[in-house]
Every structure is written in structure tokens, then in C-alpha cells.
């Protein structure tokens, strides 16, 4: 083998090492995410199991359907390995907005400050549309569909 080939092999080897490090340095996500956000002192409802991988691979949801930037622009160019902010960093008040007749009337923006409102609008919004389109009810829209009743 000539020196030139050896040099090419060395360069390719080093380059792929750098690439692997770059991928490793980003944010990773579990295939199935237990939605048990640490910002909550205590969850009132049972923990939602979110199939992140299935949503992308089987249900064909795209990153920008759920992840957006500080201007609420979909992050359509997002790739696995990129840095991703958690929803709670911007939708920062844990729980749902106050309800009932004494509750203040909130604008859409004020409502979206509540983490659970943003989650519900995102998850249920797409599920309602998806069910309508498929003529099925496979995408859960009821409380227990996502927050299963505790097994006794
Ligand atoms: C159906 C909605 C949805 C889709 C589609 C989606 N994600 Fe996510 N992703 C989430 C949710 C919800 C979380 C949990 C984050 C949280 O609790 O704040 C998450 C978490 C992540 C995390 C981990 C963030 C962290 O630090 O914990 C990464 C990385 C990520 N997603 C990347 C992607 C990429 C890349 C795509 C597209 C290939 C994608 N996601 C598609 C909803 C989605
Ligand atoms: C970098 C900040 C940031 C992050 C991270 C973020 N959001 Fe948002 N989101 C916004 C802003 C800004 C708006 C516009 C409304 C407002 O001003 O609060 C918004 C609006 C929304 C809305 C209202 C519907 C719409 O699109 O107008 C939903 C639902 C939502 N976000 C869900 C999510 C979910 C789910 C995540 C995590 C996967 C997430 N957001 C992460 C900043 C963020
Ligand atoms: C862009 C559309 C979209 C968004 C956003 C979305 N989903 Fe889904 N989800 C679907 C579809 C479509 C199905 C039904 C797939 C099928 O037919 O089996 C589904 C099914 C599910 C199921 C039942 C099947 C399973 O894989 O466990 C759960 C639970 C679920 N979603 C939770 C969530 C949660 C929690 C969120 C918000 C963080 C969310 N989804 C956001 C499209 C979406
Ligand atoms: C499509 C799935 C989905 C459906 C349907 C749904 N939720 Fe949620 N809910 C979530 C997710 C995801 C979170 C965020 C939990 C976290 O990240 O810690 C959440 C958070 C919450 C929280 C704040 C956390 C806690 O446990 O105190 C409450 C309260 C809540 N949901 C109540 C409800 C009620 C009541 C209903 C029915 C009217 C409902 N949810 C329907 C997905 C869903």
C-alpha cells in the first residue's frame, strides 16, 4: 500500500472520530420517555408514557410538530443529536392553569405559561386531528388514555 493511501485512511479515521464525538456531545432522548418532569413537587395524575421513537418513526410526526424555538417557530431542521431545550424551560409554570368560576380569564399566551396546558394542547391537538383523519380512536384524547388509572 502506498503512503498516499495510508494517509487517506488516517484522515478518514480521524474525521469519523470527530463526527462521532460531535453526535455524542448533543442531547439524546430515550425511545420511551417517562413524562415525570422534575419541576413538579408532586404529580396529581399518573405518569404519562410517551413513545418518542414511535411518534417519529411509526406515526410520522416531524420534530417541528413538537419542538420550536423561542419565537414559536417549528424547529424543522432538528436532527437527532442536536441540542434540544425541554418544554418546561419556556412553559415554566408546573401544572394546569387555574380552573373554575373564580379563575382569572387568561389570554392564550398566559395559559401557555403553564406546562401542562402546553403539553395538552400539543399532544391532544394532534391526536384529535389524527383520529379524525384515520376514523379511529388510536390516538388517546381522554385523561386515562394518557394518565392510566393506577393498577390495584
Ligand atoms: C410528538 C412530539 C415530538 C416529536 C415529533 C419529537 N419530539 Fe423530541 N421530545 C418531545 C417531548 C415531549 C420531549 C420531552 C421533553 C420535555 O419533557 O421537556 C422530547 C425530548 C427530546 C429530546 C431530549 C431533550 C432533553 O434534554 O431531555 C431530544 C434530543 C429530542 N426530543 C429530539 C427530537 C428530534 C431530533 C425529533 C425529530 C426527529 C423529535 N425530538 C421529535 C416531543 C417530540
Ligand atoms: C425556547 C422556548 C420554548 C420551548 C423550549 C418550547 N416552547 Fe412552546 N412556545 C414557546 C412560545 C414563545 C410560544 C408562543 C406562545 C407564548 O408566547 O407563550 C409557544 C407556544 C406553544 C404552544 C401553543 C400552540 C402554538 O403552537 O401556538 C404549544 C402547544 C407549545 N408551545 C408546546 C410546546 C412543547 C410540547 C414543547 C416541548 C416539546 C415546547 N412548546 C417547547 C416557546 C417554547
Ligand atoms: C403530530 C402528531 C402527534 C403529536 C404532537 C403527539 N402525538 Fe401521540 N400519537 C399520534 C398518533 C397519530 C397516534 C396513534 C398511532 C396509532 O394509530 O397507533 C398517537 C398515539 C399516542 C399514544 C398511544 C400509543 C403509544 O404509542 O403509546 C400515546 C400514549 C400518545 N400518543 C401520547 C402522546 C403524548 C404524551 C404527546 C405529547 C407529548 C403526543 N402523543 C403528541 C400523533 C401525535
Ligand atoms: C395526550 C395525552 C394526555 C391527555 C389526553 C391528558 N394529559 Fe394530562 N398531561 C400529559 C402530559 C404529557 C403531561 C406532562 C407531565 C410531565 O411532563 O410531568 C400532563 C400533565 C398533566 C397534569 C400536571 C401534572 C400532574 O400530574 O399534576 C395534570 C394535572 C393533568 N395532566 C391532568 C389531565 C386531565 C385532568 C386530563 C383529562 C381532561 C388530561 N390530563 C389528559 C398528557 C395528557
Amino acid at each position: 500500500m502506498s503512503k498516499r493511501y495510508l494517509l487517506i485512511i488516517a484522515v478518514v479515521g480521524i474525521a469519523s472520530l470527530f463526527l462521532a464525538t460531535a453526535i455524542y456531545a448533543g442531547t439524546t432522548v430515550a425511545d420511551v420517555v417517562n413524562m415525570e418532569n422534575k419541576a413538579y413537587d408532586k404529580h396529581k395524575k399518573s405518569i404519562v408514557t410517551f413513545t418518542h421513537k414511535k411518534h417519529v418513526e411509526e406515526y410520522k410526526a416531524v420534530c417541528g410538530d413538537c419542538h420550536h424555538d423561542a419565537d414559536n417557530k417549528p424547529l424543522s431542521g432538528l436532527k437527532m443529536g442536536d441540542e434540544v431545550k425541554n418544554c418546561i424551560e419556556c412553559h415554566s409554570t408546573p401544572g394546569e392553569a387555574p380552573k373554575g368560576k373564580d379563575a382569572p380569564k387568561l389570554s392564550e399566551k398566559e395559559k401557555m405559561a403553564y406546562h401542562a396546558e402546553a403539553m395538552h394542547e400539543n399532544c391532544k391537538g394532534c391526536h384529535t386531528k389524527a383520529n379524525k383523519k384515520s376514523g379511529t380512536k388510536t390516538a388517546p384524547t381522554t385523561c386515562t388514555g394518557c394518565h392510566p388509572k393506577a393498577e390495584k
Side-chain angles (χ1 to χ4, degrees):
M1 213 180 286
S2 76
K3 265 192 189 153
R4 190 195 233 150
Y5 276 118
L6 282 176
L7 186 68
I8 290 170
I9 288 165
V11 167
V12 168
I14 290 165
S16 44
L17 246 176
F18 269 107
L19 198 65
T21 316
I23 289 167
Y24 190 73
T27 323
T28 54
V29 57
D31 294 352
V32 177
V33 181
N34 267 340
M35 301 296 290
E36 188 169 13
N37 204 290
K38 299 276 182 293
Y40 287 81
D41 291 332
K42 191 174 176 292
H43 281 73
K44 288 192 213 141
K45 306 290 282 180
S46 68
I47 303 308
V48 178
T49 310
F50 173 53
T51 54
H52 193 276
K53 190 178 185 187
K54 270 195 178 171
H55 272 75
V56 173
E57 291 184 1
E58 288 177 33
Y59 314 155
K60 307 286 175 222
V62 294
C63 313
D65 285 337
C66 304
H67 296 285
H68 45 243
D69 66 11
D71 299 320
N72 194 18
K73 278 212 198 66
L75 290 169
S76 34
L78 200 65
K79 295 180 304 304
M80 278 302 172
D82 288 351
E83 208 62 62
V84 172
K85 282 201 167 89
N86 285 121
C87 314
I88 197 107
E89 289 182 51
C90 302
H91 304 278
S92 53
T93 313
E96 294 181 287
K99 287 190 172 59
K101 66 173 166 44
D102 296 330
K105 184 105 188 68
L106 300 181
S107 69
E108 177 68 8
K109 192 179 165 157
E110 287 165 333
K111 201 176 157 192
M112 284 307 121
Y114 290 88
H115 180 250
E117 300 291 346
M119 300 313 299
H120 288 155
E121 185 160 322
N122 176 252
C123 315
K124 286 199 251 174
C126 178
H127 287 180
T128 306
K129 273 191 253 158
N131 287 341
K132 215 172 179 181
K133 211 171 146 198
S134 69
T136 68
K137 289 194 169 137
T138 48
T141 53
T142 61
C143 311
T144 50
C146 286
H147 301 279
K149 284 217 177 78
E151 283 167 49
K152 292 230 174 81

